[in-house]
Amino acid sequence: MKRCKGILFFALLTASYLYWQDNGIMVTKYCYQNKKVPSSFSGYRILQLSDLQNKVFGKHHKKIVSVIQKQKPDCIVITGDLLDRNRTNIDSATELISYLVKIAPVYYVSGNHEHQSGKYHDLLPLLKENGVFILENNKETITKGNEKISLLGIKDKSVNANYQKVLSVLSKAEQTEFQILLSHRPELLSVYSQYDIDVVFAGHAHGGQIRIPYIGGIFAPHQGFFPKYTSGMITKNHTTMIVSRGLGNSTFPFRIHNRPELVILTLE
């Protein structure tokens, strides 16, 4: 009897794993309200894609592209780990990008996997060729009418001191009233909140990989067990961070109670 229960449990776990790997992309929608949002940007929709880890949803990315098209984003932000260090496929990643840039402007920062794959310097020129805005310790201004917002980006693989140094420069240079930061790592919220940054998009935690109802994620890199920042909208001081649960997996192949996720943030 115990053996039968064990087999049944394994079968259910396997079925759950296969279902969430190949189906069920979840779109999580947030509304962010702030008087600092320029009036012409009210209703502006930002789609976040994070931690794809070279996963493919549908042949030639057809499924995920269809889901993104239906959201009608004004821009798309990628917060790292487009590649996976264990099964790196630059051609697959750039194929997806070639579709995304036709939907909306795409802004990118790296994650740890791009650097650990050894293919980071091969990927960047291909992203640029496809028209992606590379925000590796850099800044871009988005203009609507006579109003502007700023997108800042942090290159991954920096230590805390470098994050602080980069942010101190970026957050002040050509400062606009409303600023958004793209960074792979959510565990550094206490650093981000020290600067005049309104919204941060982050990933990296994979939603804690296995999620327990009312408790949250079990484990996240650089946060350990029962991590604090794995999903959702978190505010510290005047900074609000959006943490994506991401789309793919890497070393640990399971996502339990943790559907692949795209995020839409609407500014008001």
Side-chain angles (χ1 to χ4, degrees):
M1 187 67 176
K2 288 183 179 179
R3 185 166 179 262
C4 290
K5 287 182 177 179
I7 292 171
L8 179 60
F9 173 77
F10 179 78
L12 290 172
L13 183 64
T14 302
S16 175
Y17 163 67
L18 291 173
Y19 178 79
W20 295 127
Q21 295 306 295
D22 298 324
N23 299 280
I25 297 173
M26 181 177 184
V27 179
T28 303
K29 298 181 180 181
Y30 301 103
C31 182
Y32 174 85
Q33 295 181 317
N34 189 329
K35 292 181 180 179
K36 293 172 65 177
V37 174
S39 58
S40 60
F41 283 88
S42 184
Y44 192 84
R45 292 166 62 82
I46 303 171
L47 184 140
Q48 180 190 13
L49 184 155
S50 195
D51 300 278
L52 185 67
Q53 313 284 162
N54 270 133
K55 182 167 175 56
V56 178
F57 290 89
K59 187 176 181 180
H60 298 295
H61 306 283
K62 184 177 180 180
K63 179 167 185 175
I64 191 170
V65 170
S66 175
V67 172
I68 292 172
Q69 285 176 325
K70 290 175 183 177
Q71 300 309 312
K72 298 181 179 179
D74 293 291
C75 76
I76 298 169
V77 298
I78 299 175
T79 49
D81 285 2
L82 189 60
L83 301 181
D84 185 85
R85 69 187 177 206
N86 297 313
R87 51 183 184 277
T88 306
N89 189 331
I90 290 182
D91 291 341
S92 176
T94 52
E95 181 184 28
L96 173 61
I97 291 296
S98 71
Y99 300 136
L100 297 186
V101 294
K102 295 175 183 177
I103 299 172
V106 177
Y107 300 85
Y108 166 87
V109 294
S110 60
N112 56 297
H113 275 257
E114 280 89 345
H115 298 275
Q116 292 165 349
S117 72
K119 299 295 184 180
Y120 171 76
H121 294 292
D122 297 322
L123 176 67
L124 286 193
L126 297 174
L127 295 181
K128 290 178 181 178
E129 286 177 16
N130 278 280
V132 174
F133 295 92
I134 308 296
L135 297 182
E136 297 281 75
N137 299 343
N138 202 358
K139 182 174 185 175
E140 290 283 346
T141 300
I142 301 176
T143 303
K144 288 192 71 176
N146 295 320
E147 297 179 304
K148 300 177 181 180
I149 63 174
S150 292
L151 286 185
L152 292 63
I154 288 284
K155 178 180 179 180
D156 200 62
K157 298 295 284 184
S158 300
V159 298
N160 280 13
N162 286 343
Y163 273 72
Q164 292 172 328
K165 182 178 179 180
V166 170
L167 285 174
S168 67
V169 174
L170 288 181
S171 62
K172 295 176 183 177
E174 301 178 16
Q175 186 171 0
T176 59
E177 187 174 1
F178 189 75
Q179 298 194 99
I180 296 171
L181 172 68
L182 309 185
S183 180
H184 187 55
R185 298 174 184 260
E187 68 269 17
L188 298 179
L189 177 58
S190 61
V191 175
Y192 309 145
S193 64
Q194 296 174 26
Y195 301 91
D196 190 22
I197 295 167
D198 301 289
V199 175
V200 179
F201 286 96
H204 190 47
H206 291 219
Q209 208 72 54
I210 298 171
R211 296 185 66 81
I212 298 175
Y214 307 109
I215 294 177
I218 294 296
F219 181 85
H222 301 96
Q223 293 187 68
F225 287 98
F226 300 105
K228 188 174 182 179
Y229 306 123
T230 63
S231 179
M233 179 184 284
I234 306 108
T235 298
K236 184 176 180 65
N237 299 331
H238 299 292
T239 298
T240 296
M241 181 172 69
I242 309 297
V243 183
S244 169
R245 297 198 308 273
L247 291 155
N249 302 311
S250 185
T251 305
F252 187 79
F254 297 99
R255 297 172 69 97
I256 298 175
H257 297 299
N258 183 16
R259 292 168 62 180
E261 180 184 52
L262 291 168
V263 169
I264 282 279
L265 181 71
T266 302
L267 304 180
E268 298 290 350

